[in-house]
Amino acid sequence: MALREIITVPNPLLKKVSERVERVDDGLRALMDDMLETMYAAPGIGLAAVQVGVPKRVIVMDLAREGEPPQPQYFVNPEITWRSEEMAVREEGCLSVPDIYDEVERPARVGLRYQDYTGAHIEEDAEGLLAVCIQHEMDHLEGVLFIDHLSRLKRDRAVAKVKKAAKDGEKAA
Ligand code: K1U
Ligand code: ZN
């Protein structure tokens, strides 16, 4: 397993639509292992493959609370099969937009279809943090960031702040 670099805005790769995965094989499982290790190290609760520079339709997640055993989840070629009319607002963050947090409104519940770590086909319903996180991560697969749900002013400010922090970090190094 290896830690991978998480790309940040304004890297143009984050705007790319990720490609479907043809086969869940050992190569893909190695990528998912690396993604999970990278996500735990960040730390984060979810990560899409494009965030480590690989535009494939793959997501890892772990929503275990502090003190609970790890609960890694893997989503290959995920699809949303239905969305609730009820909406929910929750604060979101993103490892590709570090240190920026804001509220986003999304459907409160969604139906999911995806393949897991073994390639098995799964269908399940999601609510609460799982619904928020999977919609955030599936946006990444379409080249959409949570700041794209905010006003242009907030989005531009967020990108400028991340760019400045990266520049300051380079100077200090
Ligand atoms: O960049 C990402 O896509 C990961 C992102 C996922 C997410 C968070 C909140 C709402 C929706 C999606 C993160 O993990 S940001 C970091 C974070 O939320 C966190 C970090 C440490 C402990 C607990 C949470
Ligand atoms: Zn994100």
Side-chain angles (χ1 to χ4, degrees):
M1 281 202 281
L3 282 182
R4 305 224 184 178
E5 186 188 342
I6 297 176
I7 61 173
T8 57
V9 287
N11 189 315
L13 204 49
L14 290 167
K15 294 268 152 215
K16 203 174 149 70
V17 176
S18 293
E19 289 182 2
R20 276 185 70 80
V21 169
E22 289 303 322
R23 210 171 312 111
V24 181
D25 57 15
D26 286 347
L28 193 79
R29 280 186 279 274
L31 169 66
M32 293 193 278
D33 292 345
D34 285 357
M35 286 171 61
L36 198 73
E37 190 181 354
T38 303
M39 184 197 80
Y40 285 140
I45 56 174
L47 194 69
V50 68
Q51 294 179 271
V52 293
V54 181
K56 289 185 180 177
R57 300 185 83 81
V58 178
I59 290 165
V60 298
M61 203 180 287
D62 191 331
L63 303 180
R65 291 160 201 256
E66 232 180 283
E68 286 180 354
Q71 291 164 25
Q73 296 183 78
Y74 308 88
F75 302 86
V76 178
N77 297 325
E79 291 169 42
I80 291 182
T81 54
W82 59 268
R83 293 171 170 82
S84 66
E85 276 182 29
E86 187 194 336
M87 303 292 281
V89 177
R90 193 150 182 160
E91 186 171 83
E92 299 189 16
C94 181
L95 300 173
S96 295
V97 195
D99 300 321
I100 305 289
Y101 299 88
D102 213 324
E103 289 185 337
V104 177
E105 185 180 44
R106 299 183 187 272
R109 290 175 297 283
V110 291
L112 297 176
R113 182 189 297 144
Y114 61 94
Q115 285 170 268
D116 70 8
Y117 193 80
T118 68
H121 291 263
I122 311 279
E123 288 210 30
E124 67 185 19
D125 296 345
E127 61 180 0
L129 187 54
L130 175 59
V132 173
C133 198
I134 195 69
Q135 291 180 81
H136 174 115
E137 300 307 334
M138 286 181 68
D139 269 358
H140 277 300
L141 306 187
E142 302 303 322
V144 173
L145 297 169
F146 86 97
I147 53 172
D148 295 324
H149 294 277
L150 309 178
S151 68
R152 170 172 285 226
L153 179 67
K154 281 189 173 182
R155 184 165 63 244
D156 290 350
R157 275 192 187 153
V159 175
K161 196 173 162 191
V162 175
K163 276 165 92 172
K164 183 174 182 308
K167 212 168 149 192
D168 291 350
E170 278 166 25
K171 269 193 223 155

